[in-house]
Amino acid sequence: MGEIRSKFLEVYSVLKAELLHDPAFEFTDDSRQWVERMLDYNVPGGKLNRGLSVIDSYKLLKEGKELTDDEVFLACALGWCIEWLQAYFLVLDDIMDNSVTRRGQPCWFRQPKVGLIATNDGIILRNHIPRILKKHFREKPYYVDLLDLFNEVEFQTASGQMIDLITTLEGEKDLSKYSLPLHRRIVQYKTAYYSFYLPVACALLMAGENLENHINVKDILIEMGIYFQVQDDYLDCFGAPEVIGKVGTDIEDFKCSWLVVKALERSTEEQKKLLYEVYGKADEACVAKVKELYKVLDLQGVFAEYERESYEKLVKFIESHPSKAVQAVLKSFLAKIYKRLK
Amino acid sequence: MGEIRSKFLEVYSVLKAELLHDPAFEFTDDSRQWVERMLDYNVPGGKLNRGLSVIDSYKLLKEGKELTDDEVFLACALGWCIEWLQAYFLVLDDIMDNSVTRRGQPCWFRQPKVGLIATNDGIILRNHIPRILKKHFREKPYYVDLLDLFNEVEFQTASGQMIDLITTLEGEKDLSKYSLPLHRRIVQYKTAYYSFYLPVACALLMAGENLENHINVKDILIEMGIYFQVQDDYLDCFGAPEVIGKVGTDIEDFKCSWLVVKALERSTEEQKKLLYEVYGKADEACVAKVKELYKVLDLQGVFAEYERESYEKLVKFIESHPSKAVQAVLKSFLAKIYKRLK
Ligand SMILES: [Mg+2]
Ligand SMILES: [Mg+2]
Ligand SMILES: [Mg+2]
Ligand SMILES: [Mg+2]
Ligand SMILES: [Mg+2]
Ligand SMILES: [Mg+2]
């Protein structure tokens, strides 16, 4: 893994250098420096799970056959396209959420001299993806499918973000809108397509597969993505801050979290009334009351049961897939997230 | 022209209805309504010049042959893709510039309940373009070229916006950076590609042409786009507000306008000193001093000479083109902008 990671980071430097000398634009010295600083600040600093999993997946699809240098480079390039996509979403999301920190440093828009220029920087990040794809994949038979794939997944993510934004609309805090189907819809579109389906779909295209023959792979990965987000919601409240690396604020932020949805489902009228009063307030006592209610309703037990069921369902689903190589890809994903603590 | 315009607006309704029922996303009622309101507010309210010129250009390329209904629809759809692109740029530009009005109404982000959700709405607008292209052009032999074209032009526009933003950076007002090459570079990338080259390039692709054989068409259109922006800069100061429909604020906004660049070129040391003191201040007396200097330096005469020269050069350039049909397209563009007063 250390070897793949260092290879992956090497490819970042190659892609960055190419982008900083893209012949489609005449950089000024200032703008070239700006882009370089912006990329280094926003692109490579995450866990890189999404990007690395393109390479993992492609290897598994190749069933142990040694990859050529060219294949490794291309799989890394696609992995980086996903990391660029993620960086673009995060830069803009932090602006819209007025967030303070990201990946242990101030959000990009909070850097001196950046401010709302970060909006355009997000757009630049997004525009780098087709530049990378064109430079390295233009002659591949699956080039147009790659473009379609990235376009569709971006559209789905932006649409998920939209329902998240309009249901959490400031000044219209209304818990009665929150339900399991809404939670599922937000999570599926905002997170699951780009985080789970996209890396595998990239690997499948590189392996010469037609994505239309892999609708069930998509369905399984979307289910896994939803399960992953439920864990995320759970850890936001019940995880150890020193392990997850941040203090959760979903309760204060009036988030349509799996926990609040489950709490609403399981509450008596009286408990519901309390929840309506205290949820979404940046007040310690209110947050404590929500957490207390979660405990009373045994959401920890409900989550444990959900986790067990999801896991079983996913394993069964995966084992029904006709291809052992595809099964291996899906199992590798599942192993990475099952019972995770961070 | 009235007939084309009403056909064009009809196609808007068709595209909108399709987007509001895109099977790649499961809309909630709220989100479908949100998108519809957002589209109606931001997409069809401009002059539609860029969109309509795709149809004009395509007709001229067809040299008088009657277009089929299908061809008209497709040319309109591509025209709307450009209008969508423009709407996306404007929604985000207004946020970044903290603007107040756009096309005679409050900027979208200033609408109640919208705010920074407008950032994601801009992204949604952008994402609609590949949805429209996929739905109506997926089977065309030029589909991949269309995707590449829109991607490249968007990249160039965002890059031009970037140099505009970082040279006008708040707190770093420094006139010594402003020069004709910088002005040209900003204008070329931020405006000319998407406003002038893109509509003609769309028409050429629809007509079965390979864009690589039309580099000189691109060059001519970029020159025209730069000329158009110089007019825009000129009218911002010397145009009649009741004709151009707004009161210019380039001086207050410290814009890298063609006028200030020319003024810097022609100033004595003393005049330059004055300009450094008063340019970019939201103060009536300062603005008046800048305008006074522009008059003393006879920038009206300089502009008239620039306009005459540009026109002659463009006509010569156009007439050297081997295809009469392409000449007609380019002349039609030039006729629309030569000596314009708004
Ligand atoms: Mg956020
Ligand atoms: Mg958010
Ligand atoms: Mg979370
Ligand atoms: Mg503006
Ligand atoms: Mg601007
Ligand atoms: Mg102007």
Side-chain angles (χ1 to χ4, degrees):
Chain A
M1 258 311 271
E3 203 191 317
I4 292 189
R5 182 179 287 266
S6 72
K7 177 70 206 168
F8 191 57
L9 288 166
E10 241 174 67
V11 172
Y12 169 75
S13 301
V14 173
L15 298 175
K16 184 178 82 171
E18 287 169 355
L19 291 165
L20 294 177
H21 295 88
D22 190 324
F25 178 59
E26 295 165 77
F27 283 92
T28 55
D29 291 341
D30 282 357
S31 58
R32 185 176 284 114
Q33 276 169 34
W34 182 281
V35 173
E36 177 161 25
R37 193 168 71 103
M38 188 270 287
L39 291 178
D40 288 342
Y41 197 91
N42 293 295
V43 178
K47 283 165 286 178
L48 308 180
N49 286 337
R50 292 167 182 81
L52 289 167
S53 66
V54 177
I55 312 152
D56 284 357
S57 301
Y58 185 70
K59 274 194 180 163
L60 290 166
L61 290 173
K62 283 289 176 174
E63 300 187 282
K65 236 189 277 162
E66 184 82 31
L67 306 192
T68 65
D69 288 353
D70 196 43
E71 286 178 301
V72 172
F73 181 87
L74 292 177
C76 288
L78 289 181
W80 279 114
C81 285
I82 303 176
E83 293 295 332
W84 247 266
L85 188 70
Q86 155 108 328
Y88 148 59
F89 292 140
L90 299 183
V91 165
L92 296 185
D93 184 66
D94 286 341
I95 297 172
M96 290 184 275
D97 292 343
N98 197 25
S99 296
V100 176
T101 55
R102 164 72 66 189
R103 296 170 172 172
Q105 57 184 7
C107 298
W108 174 239
F109 79 95
R110 293 192 180 272
Q111 282 298 103
K113 298 194 209 172
V114 177
L116 286 183
I117 298 181
T119 308
N120 197 64
D121 288 333
I123 298 305
I124 295 280
L125 288 167
R126 190 248 162 262
N127 275 278
H128 281 168
I129 298 165
R131 302 311 296 161
I132 296 171
L133 295 178
K134 188 166 180 210
K135 177 145 186 96
H136 296 286
F137 297 89
R138 184 66 166 91
E139 305 309 324
K140 302 289 178 195
Y142 54 86
Y143 176 61
V144 71
D145 296 309
L146 268 181
L147 293 179
D148 281 349
L149 172 66
F150 273 89
N151 281 330
E152 181 157 311
V153 167
E154 184 191 341
F155 169 70
Q156 291 167 317
T157 309
S159 298
Q161 174 77 315
M162 173 177 59
I163 37 176
D164 189 18
L165 287 165
I166 66 185
T167 53
T168 322
L169 202 60
E170 206 50 54
E172 300 220 327
K173 292 184 176 176
D174 179 5
L175 268 190
S176 72
K177 291 185 289 192
Y178 287 1
S179 66
L180 210 55
L182 179 67
H183 178 265
R184 189 188 161 85
R185 183 135 41 170
I186 292 175
V187 167
Q188 172 176 353
Y189 287 98
K190 195 177 108 166
T191 306
Y193 282 101
Y194 93 87
S195 303
F196 284 79
Y197 174 58
L198 183 56
V200 176
C202 283
L204 285 167
L205 285 178
M206 257 194 76
E209 294 289 323
N210 181 338
L211 295 179
E212 280 169 24
N213 300 334
H214 290 283
I215 303 300
N216 50 349
V217 172
K218 187 197 275 196
D219 292 341
I220 295 171
L221 286 161
I222 296 308
E223 284 308 316
M224 241 187 268
I226 292 166
Y227 163 58
F228 178 86
Q229 184 61 41
V230 172
Q231 291 175 313
D232 193 82
D233 290 353
Y234 178 80
L235 293 171
D236 189 89
C237 176
F238 292 110
E242 59 288 5
V243 180
I244 61 171
K246 64 176 178 187
V247 177
T249 58
D250 282 358
I251 295 171
E252 292 91 319
D253 295 345
F254 197 72
K255 282 282 163 70
C256 180
S257 157
W258 184 82
L259 293 172
V260 75
V261 166
K262 279 287 153 188
L264 286 165
E265 256 183 39
R266 301 171 66 84
S267 283
T268 64
E269 282 308 308
E270 211 165 325
Q271 288 169 324
K272 226 182 229 177
K273 213 179 135 231
L274 173 74
L275 203 49
Y276 272 69
E277 271 164 33
V278 294
Y279 197 71
K281 300 221 164 98
D283 171 278
E284 259 184 67
C286 290
V287 174
K289 277 182 193 157
V290 175
K291 290 200 177 186
E292 181 55 33
L293 180 62
Y294 286 176
K295 279 183 189 143
V296 171
L297 296 169
D298 187 30
L299 294 191
Q300 287 163 290
V302 175
F303 173 76
E305 178 59 17
Y306 168 85
E307 177 146 61
R308 202 188 50 74
E309 266 181 19
S310 299
Y311 183 76
E312 274 180 20
K313 217 171 62 185
L314 284 167
V315 170
K316 230 185 242 163
F317 209 172
I318 291 170
E319 287 176 348
S320 75
H321 196 282
S323 151
K324 285 283 171 201
V326 172
Q327 282 193 24
V329 170
L330 297 170
K331 281 188 174 166
S332 149
F333 260 81
L334 185 55
K336 277 179 211 152
I337 63 173
Y338 180 55
K339 290 211 166 161
R340 70 191 177 99
L341 299 173
K342 61 170 185 174
Chain B
M1 259 310 274
E3 203 190 319
I4 292 189
R5 181 179 288 267
S6 72
K7 177 70 206 168
F8 191 57
L9 288 166
E10 242 174 65
V11 173
Y12 170 75
S13 301
V14 174
L15 298 175
K16 184 177 81 170
E18 288 169 355
L19 291 165
L20 295 176
H21 296 88
D22 190 324
F25 179 59
E26 295 166 77
F27 282 93
T28 55
D29 290 342
D30 282 357
S31 58
R32 186 177 282 112
Q33 276 168 35
W34 183 280
V35 174
E36 178 161 25
R37 193 168 71 101
M38 188 271 286
L39 291 178
D40 288 342
Y41 196 91
N42 293 295
V43 178
K47 284 165 288 179
L48 309 180
N49 285 338
R50 291 168 182 79
L52 289 166
S53 66
V54 177
I55 313 152
D56 283 355
S57 301
Y58 185 70
K59 273 195 179 160
L60 290 167
L61 290 174
K62 283 288 177 178
E63 300 187 283
K65 239 188 276 163
E66 184 82 32
L67 307 192
T68 66
D69 287 353
D70 196 41
E71 286 178 301
V72 172
F73 181 88
L74 292 177
C76 287
L78 290 181
W80 279 114
C81 285
I82 302 176
E83 293 295 332
W84 247 266
L85 189 70
Q86 155 108 327
Y88 148 58
F89 292 140
L90 298 183
V91 165
L92 296 186
D93 184 67
D94 286 341
I95 298 173
M96 289 184 275
D97 293 343
N98 198 25
S99 297
V100 176
T101 54
R102 164 72 67 189
R103 296 170 172 171
Q105 58 185 6
C107 298
W108 175 240
F109 79 94
R110 294 192 180 271
Q111 283 297 103
K113 296 194 210 172
V114 178
L116 286 183
I117 298 181
T119 307
N120 197 64
D121 289 332
I123 298 305
I124 295 279
L125 288 166
R126 190 246 162 264
N127 275 278
H128 281 168
I129 298 165
R131 303 310 296 160
I132 295 171
L133 295 178
K134 188 167 180 208
K135 179 146 185 94
H136 296 287
F137 297 89
R138 185 67 166 90
E139 305 308 325
K140 302 290 178 195
Y142 54 87
Y143 176 62
V144 71
D145 296 311
L146 268 181
L147 293 179
D148 281 350
L149 173 66
F150 273 89
N151 282 331
E152 180 158 312
V153 167
E154 183 191 341
F155 169 70
Q156 291 167 319
T157 308
S159 298
Q161 174 77 315
M162 173 176 60
I163 38 177
D164 189 19
L165 287 165
I166 65 184
T167 53
T168 323
L169 202 60
E170 206 50 55
E172 299 220 328
K173 291 184 177 175
D174 179 5
L175 267 190
S176 72
K177 290 185 289 190
Y178 288 0
S179 66
L180 210 55
L182 180 67
H183 177 266
R184 188 187 164 85
R185 183 134 44 168
I186 293 175
V187 167
Q188 171 176 354
Y189 287 99
K190 195 177 108 166
T191 306
Y193 282 100
Y194 93 87
S195 303
F196 284 79
Y197 174 58
L198 184 56
V200 176
C202 284
L204 285 167
L205 286 178
M206 258 194 76
E209 295 288 324
N210 181 338
L211 294 179
E212 280 169 25
N213 301 334
H214 290 283
I215 303 300
N216 49 350
V217 172
K218 186 197 275 196
D219 292 342
I220 295 171
L221 287 161
I222 296 308
E223 284 307 317
M224 241 187 269
I226 292 165
Y227 163 58
F228 178 86
Q229 185 60 43
V230 172
Q231 291 175 314
D232 193 82
D233 290 353
Y234 178 80
L235 293 170
D236 190 88
C237 175
F238 293 110
E242 60 288 4
V243 180
I244 61 172
K246 64 176 178 187
V247 176
T249 59
D250 283 357
I251 295 171
E252 291 91 320
D253 295 345
F254 197 72
K255 283 281 163 70
C256 180
S257 158
W258 183 83
L259 293 172
V260 75
V261 167
K262 279 287 154 190
L264 287 165
E265 258 183 35
R266 302 171 67 84
S267 283
T268 63
E269 282 307 309
E270 212 165 324
Q271 288 169 323
K272 225 182 231 178
K273 214 179 134 230
L274 172 74
L275 202 50
Y276 273 68
E277 270 163 36
V278 293
Y279 196 71
K281 300 222 163 93
D283 171 278
E284 260 185 66
C286 289
V287 174
K289 278 184 192 156
V290 174
K291 291 201 178 185
E292 182 52 34
L293 179 62
Y294 286 176
K295 278 183 189 142
V296 170
L297 295 170
D298 187 30
L299 293 191
Q300 286 161 291
V302 176
F303 173 75
E305 178 59 15
Y306 168 86
E307 176 146 62
R308 202 189 50 72
E309 266 181 19
S310 299
Y311 183 76
E312 274 180 20
K313 216 171 62 184
L314 285 167
V315 169
K316 229 186 244 165
F317 210 172
I318 292 171
E319 287 177 348
S320 74
H321 196 282
S323 151
K324 286 282 170 202
V326 173
Q327 283 192 23
V329 170
L330 297 170
K331 281 187 174 165
S332 149
F333 261 81
L334 185 54
K336 276 180 211 152
I337 62 172
Y338 181 53
K339 290 211 164 161
R340 72 192 177 96
L341 299 173
K342 61 172 184 174

